[in-house]
Amino acid sequence: MVAHLLRLKLTLLRNSVRRSPWQLVGLGIGTLYALGIVGLLVAGLLLLRGQEIELAQTVVVLGGAAALLGWAIIPVAVSAADMTLDPARFTTFAVPMPQLLAGLALGGLIGIPGLATSIVALATVGTWSRSVPAAAGALVGAVLGVLSCVVLSKVVTTATAGLASSRRFKDISAVAFLIPLVLMGPIVAGIAKGIAGSGDFLASLSRTLSWTPAGAAFSLGGELAAGHYGAAAVKFLIAVATLAGLALAWKVLLQRALVTPPYAGTSKRRSGGPGLFGVLPATPAAAVAARSLYYWLRDPRYAGALVVVPLLPVLFLFQGSQSGFYGPFQFVGPLTAFLLAWSISTDVSYDSTAFALHVATGVRGADDRLGRALACLSFALPVVLLFSVGPFFLTGDWAKLPAVLGLSLGVLFSGLGLSSVVSARYTVSVPLPGDSPFKKPPGNVAQTLAVQLGGMAVLMVLVAPEVALVAAQFITGSTVPGWIALVLGPVLGLALFATGVRVGGIWLDRRAPELLAQLAVNR
Amino acid sequence: MTYQTPDQQGQPAPHGPSAPTVPALSLLGLAKRFGDKIAVDGITLDVPAGSFYGVVGPNGAGKTTTLSMATGLLRPDFGTALVHGVDVWQHPLEAKKLMGILPDGVRLFDRLSGEQLVTYAGLLRGMDRDTVAARVAELLAALDLGNDAGTLVVDYSAGMTKKIALASALIHAPRLLVLDEPFESVDPISAANIRDILDRYVASGGTVIVSSHVMDLVQRMCDHVAVVAGGRVLAAGTVEEVRAGASLEDRFVQLVGGRNHTEGLEWLRTF
């Protein structure tokens, strides 16, 4: 039975790449990325072999505890739990519980995260290959540790399945998870500073952790290498008890979950009125704009961008405060303009097959384009103006304001124009509606990369005049190019915006059914 | 093309520019190929104006592909589709104004509330705000969605989603309704309500095309039927003509074939 479950998982994995060779390419890229990280970690662990026991033990135990934490948190936080072997699908098959548990646990190892964790964990055997008992202990510890990771992740996902299946929780957690992700730099820097301040802290933390379920398994090799056989025996018992306890908890939770399917209670609302549709003018373009604005607020794939934008100045401020040089901070306006304008280049792909409504109602392409662009512009323009002017209150270098402002407006309008064309012509693979923004999107990764990179290259060309004028001011110190940029940016930008909406609209009028057919491939 | 007044029940048939003898939908040699597979292999079909037309066929017969090509959602490789004499692929905007479409297997803009989604469909068609508001309220009440008007469509059940999509197709009072599997996962009460709405619509001169694989439903509801299999029309005409005395289901099985009368499965009785 366990073998059946493993074979099922492998078959599902193989079939998922069989739909198109491009998905194989996508999987290949993902694998290469994972291989790179795994390679670095493995190399690091092997290098630790020559280091003192104390240092190696600290690194291995803390790394193991971090892996455990990651397996517990990440699947829930990003709503991307691996559901290929969803236990709910086996309810009708009467699989004996111990075999189901074993099959699902081992199945959890198949896939990039499981394999990566296993390989890195096994590399600790290399770290501790200083004596036979140490290497053996490390091997046992790695097996216990990796299994604990997988089972812990199952415990957490099973326990939160009810919560995680509610749409509201999914939406909020996906967006909230972005905040620490974006602020990763400052957070890591802060932690690193703290560590540099107290080198002993980590060693003592690792010593403490190694006596807890979080670190016991991965500390086995180190204890044996140091000759602490008594401590090793106790920690072995702790690690085994941890795994057994987790397995028991999982079994109980799963038994309950199998007979009580998650029920996502939703609040009924009689009527909220037409909302924005009643406020904006009653034209097709305004209706498209109202719909887009609702999506910016309600769809985590869009809302994620809105969460990231206010964090950008924070990032640049932090970077400036570290280096004492606020040069990049002055360009947070143009950067925001680029991010927001480019974000609607995937608009039709985000619609997925819901775009059929636009095709069926025969809305004119130009109205479709204009509505989406104006929705983005309605909040992007004030934000970009604020971010362009704001930094100069700090730097006081007001002479550069016209140039930066011109560049911002140029990038914003040109970008929206270009996005209007790109999204009318090319679909890219994005997470499907309702999926987490972090979920690996189905479909053609290569085309996505080509469209994104190509589009950005074209945008660079389109805003080249503004960039050149800004560069001229920064190099020569003359304010004349800056003032020219302030005039040229909006003028050229608006011209490109109008052209983009028109060209995109014409393409949409001609090719809307073909576009819909491309969207239907991914569904 | 002007829109009907919001209350059109009991009013005479909507008379457009074309004469009543022009079929509501006329397909001529429609064909579509996906890769190596020929999904639709030259379908020619006339749907008379004012008829309630059923399209039946086994899974994978090409029903959805045909209806998508007839409604301007999927470009055919060959053939033409005329809606009240307007070529769908030459003059898509005019043709789409005449049609209300309920496609099968497509998503909706489900982060809007039900009310907003139907409003959106109306505004996209260029209707004025007051007409849209009045019709949305009436449609939601008629489809038993009044209590969920403000709920986001993403939180709707499958049947409710189907009904809200139907409301979006009806909002502009089209002359031709093309409904792909409209009763799938709809509860019996709502299905009966929808049938009433469609019956009244046909009685006042509108044309409805439904695809389904529930034969009983088609036999009871429709006056015309076409049997499609393997991307071709096997039989078409009034329900009486097609079923030729037998029940539609028997006639369907006879036309399409594929029933296996092998003995087998003896062990199923050995429990």
Side-chain angles (χ1 to χ4, degrees), chain A residues 141-469:
Chain A
V143 171
L144 284 173
V146 170
L147 284 178
S148 296
C149 282
V150 175
V151 176
L152 176 64
S153 142
K154 299 284 182 192
V155 168
V156 175
T157 48
T158 314
T160 58
L163 187 63
S165 67
S166 101
R167 180 183 57 79
R168 203 162 282 277
F169 174 81
K170 271 193 211 164
D171 288 3
I172 293 172
S173 73
V175 173
F177 189 71
L178 267 173
I179 298 173
L181 210 62
V182 173
L183 295 180
M184 188 79 89
I187 291 172
V188 168
I191 293 175
K193 216 178 207 173
I195 291 170
S198 57
D200 292 339
F201 169 72
L202 285 184
S204 64
L205 176 67
S206 123
R207 265 197 300 280
T208 315
L209 279 179
S210 73
W211 289 100
T212 68
F218 286 106
S219 69
L220 284 179
E223 294 294 347
L224 289 171
H228 304 150
Y229 291 98
V234 175
K235 286 178 178 177
F236 173 72
L237 288 180
I238 294 176
V240 171
T242 303
L243 183 56
L246 285 172
L248 187 69
W250 182 26
K251 179 173 169 240
V252 172
L253 285 167
L254 192 58
Q255 268 167 342
R256 216 180 48 201
L258 286 182
V259 289
T260 47
Y263 167 72
T266 53
S267 54
K268 279 190 164 196
R269 293 188 53 201
R270 263 191 81 78
S271 172
L276 274 177
F277 292 102
V279 177
L280 296 180
T283 63
V288 172
R291 201 274 304 162
S292 299
L293 281 174
Y294 273 121
Y295 266 64
W296 277 100
L297 292 174
R298 289 178 183 168
D299 189 327
R301 298 171 303 163
Y302 286 94
L306 292 188
V307 170
V308 170
V309 162
L311 297 178
L312 282 178
V314 177
L315 270 184
F316 279 94
L317 258 181
F318 174 81
Q319 193 269 340
S321 72
Q322 292 279 300
S323 61
F325 172 60
Y326 287 92
F329 185 43
Q330 296 175 335
F331 288 96
V332 71
L335 182 70
T336 309
F338 163 72
L339 282 181
L340 286 175
W342 188 244
S343 64
I344 65 163
S345 70
T346 52
D347 234 21
V348 172
S349 306
Y350 274 155
D351 288 354
S352 184
T353 50
F355 183 67
L357 183 67
H358 286 213
V359 185
T361 52
V363 58
R364 282 175 50 241
D367 285 338
D368 174 292
R369 300 290 91 197
L370 190 62
R372 294 172 194 268
L374 287 181
C376 183
L377 194 62
S378 68
F379 60 86
L381 187 59
V383 167
V384 165
L385 286 178
L386 183 72
F387 282 10
S388 302
V389 180
F392 290 94
F393 284 99
L394 186 76
T395 61
D397 193 3
W398 292 96
K400 285 172 181 162
L401 175 61
V404 170
L405 201 56
L407 179 62
S408 291
L409 293 173
V411 170
L412 180 62
F413 286 115
S414 314
L416 285 173
L418 180 65
S419 291
S420 299
V421 175
V422 169
S423 111
R425 178 63 182 78
Y426 301 103
T427 60
V428 294
S429 61
V430 294
L432 296 175
D435 279 351
S436 156
F438 298 101
K439 195 157 176 178
K440 186 179 82 66
N444 191 333
V445 181
Q447 179 175 345
T448 304
L449 279 177
V451 171
Q452 294 285 324
L453 294 179
M456 287 183 208
V458 173
L459 185 58
M460 285 309 291
V461 174
L462 293 181
V463 299
E466 290 97 317
V467 172
L469 285 167

Side-chain angles (χ1 to χ4, degrees), chain A residues 66-113:
Chain A
L68 211 59
L69 190 68
W71 275 83
I73 290 177
I74 292 174
V76 180
V78 304
S79 326
D82 174 17
M83 281 314 210
T84 36
L85 289 186
D86 183 1
R89 295 183 192 169
F90 298 105
T91 35
T92 54
F93 286 109
V95 184
M97 189 52 88
Q99 297 177 18
L100 181 63
L101 292 180
L104 292 180
L106 291 178
L109 288 175
I110 301 177
I112 293 181

Side-chain angles (χ1 to χ4, degrees), chain B residues 5-56:
Chain B
T5 50
D7 180 16
Q8 54 161 344
Q9 288 174 11
Q11 290 206 345
H15 285 300
S18 53
T21 47
V22 174
L25 179 66
S26 174
L27 308 180
L28 196 67
L30 275 188
K32 183 75 187 177
R33 168 207 289 271
F34 296 116
D36 293 338
K37 185 174 177 290
I38 295 173
V40 173
D41 189 11
I43 280 193
T44 299
L45 199 64
D46 275 346
V47 176
S51 64
F52 203 137
Y53 208 107
V55 177
V56 297

Side-chain angles (χ1 to χ4, degrees), chain A residues 167 171 268-273 277-278 280 287 291 294-295 298 352-354 358-360 362 510 514 523, chain B residues 72 75 89 93 96 105-111 115-116 120 125 129 146-152 154-155:
Chain A
R167 180 183 57 79
D171 288 3
K268 279 190 164 196
R269 293 188 53 201
R270 263 191 81 78
S271 172
F277 292 102
L280 296 180
R291 201 274 304 162
Y294 273 121
Y295 266 64
R298 289 178 183 168
S352 184
T353 50
H358 286 213
V359 185
R510 271 194 215 137
E514 280 74 12
R523 266 217 260 253
Chain B
R75 200 182 299 277
W89 291 100
L93 293 190
K96 283 170 184 173
V106 304
R107 293 166 186 274
L108 300 173
F109 285 106
D110 56 13
R111 300 268 161 171
E115 192 178 16
Q116 288 172 339
Y120 184 45
R125 290 192 179 267
R129 199 196 305 277
N147 284 331
D148 290 294
T151 310
L152 298 196
V154 68
D155 292 331

Side-chain angles (χ1 to χ4, degrees), chain B:
Chain B
M1 185 70 202
T2 54
Y3 290 100
Q4 307 288 304
T5 50
D7 180 16
Q8 54 161 344
Q9 288 174 11
Q11 290 206 345
H15 285 300
S18 53
T21 47
V22 174
L25 179 66
S26 174
L27 308 180
L28 196 67
L30 275 188
K32 183 75 187 177
R33 168 207 289 271
F34 296 116
D36 293 338
K37 185 174 177 290
I38 295 173
V40 173
D41 189 11
I43 280 193
T44 299
L45 199 64
D46 275 346
V47 176
S51 64
F52 203 137
Y53 208 107
V55 177
V56 297
N59 297 331
K63 300 189 293 286
T64 296
T65 309
T66 306
L67 294 182
S68 298
M69 290 192 289
T71 51
L73 295 183
L74 179 70
R75 200 182 299 277
D77 292 339
F78 300 102
T80 53
L82 305 177
V83 174
H84 286 286
V86 180
D87 191 314
V88 174
W89 291 100
Q90 295 296 320
H91 309 283
L93 293 190
E94 290 94 293
K96 283 170 184 173
K97 280 180 180 164
L98 300 170
M99 282 187 288
I101 308 167
L102 173 68
D104 187 36
V106 304
R107 293 166 186 274
L108 300 173
F109 285 106
D110 56 13
R111 300 268 161 171
L112 301 178
S113 70
E115 192 178 16
Q116 288 172 339
L117 179 62
V118 184
T119 306
Y120 184 45
L123 292 176
L124 280 185
R125 290 192 179 267
M127 298 164 64
D128 68 83
R129 199 196 305 277
D130 295 336
T131 314
V132 170
R135 288 185 186 183
V136 167
E138 281 193 57
L139 277 171
L140 290 177
L143 292 166
D144 318 311
L145 288 170
N147 284 331
D148 290 294
T151 310
L152 298 196
V153 174
V154 68
D155 292 331
Y156 274 13
S157 69
M160 289 159 75
T161 308
K162 206 78 172 176
K163 288 194 284 179
I164 205 72
L166 179 64
S168 312
L170 294 173
I171 183 82
H172 62 297
R175 295 178 65 190
L176 168 66
L177 267 180
V178 182
L179 312 177
D180 199 352
E181 299 283 0
F183 297 104
E184 207 175 43
S185 57
V186 173
D187 67 87
I189 309 234
S190 298
N193 287 347
I194 294 175
R195 280 217 306 280
D196 280 349
I197 296 170
L198 296 181
D199 281 339
R200 283 203 301 270
Y201 172 79
V202 171
S204 59
T207 311
V208 176
I209 303 173
V210 294
S211 81
S212 179
H213 33 238
V214 185
M215 296 302 146
D216 281 342
L217 191 79
V218 172
Q219 184 173 344
R220 258 182 303 138
M221 197 171 63
C222 301
D223 46 41
H224 287 67
V225 67
V227 179
V228 178
R232 294 165 196 238
V233 178
L234 299 184
T238 65
V239 173
E240 299 306 315
E241 284 168 10
V242 170
R243 71 191 176 101
S247 81
L248 186 58
E249 180 155 355
D250 290 342
R251 183 72 182 124
F252 176 81
V253 170
Q254 194 186 336
L255 280 168
V256 174
R259 279 273 278 146
N260 46 30
H261 297 281
T262 49
E263 286 303 304
L265 298 190
E266 294 295 338
W267 49 266
L268 194 53
R269 279 167 265 153
T270 61
F271 50 80

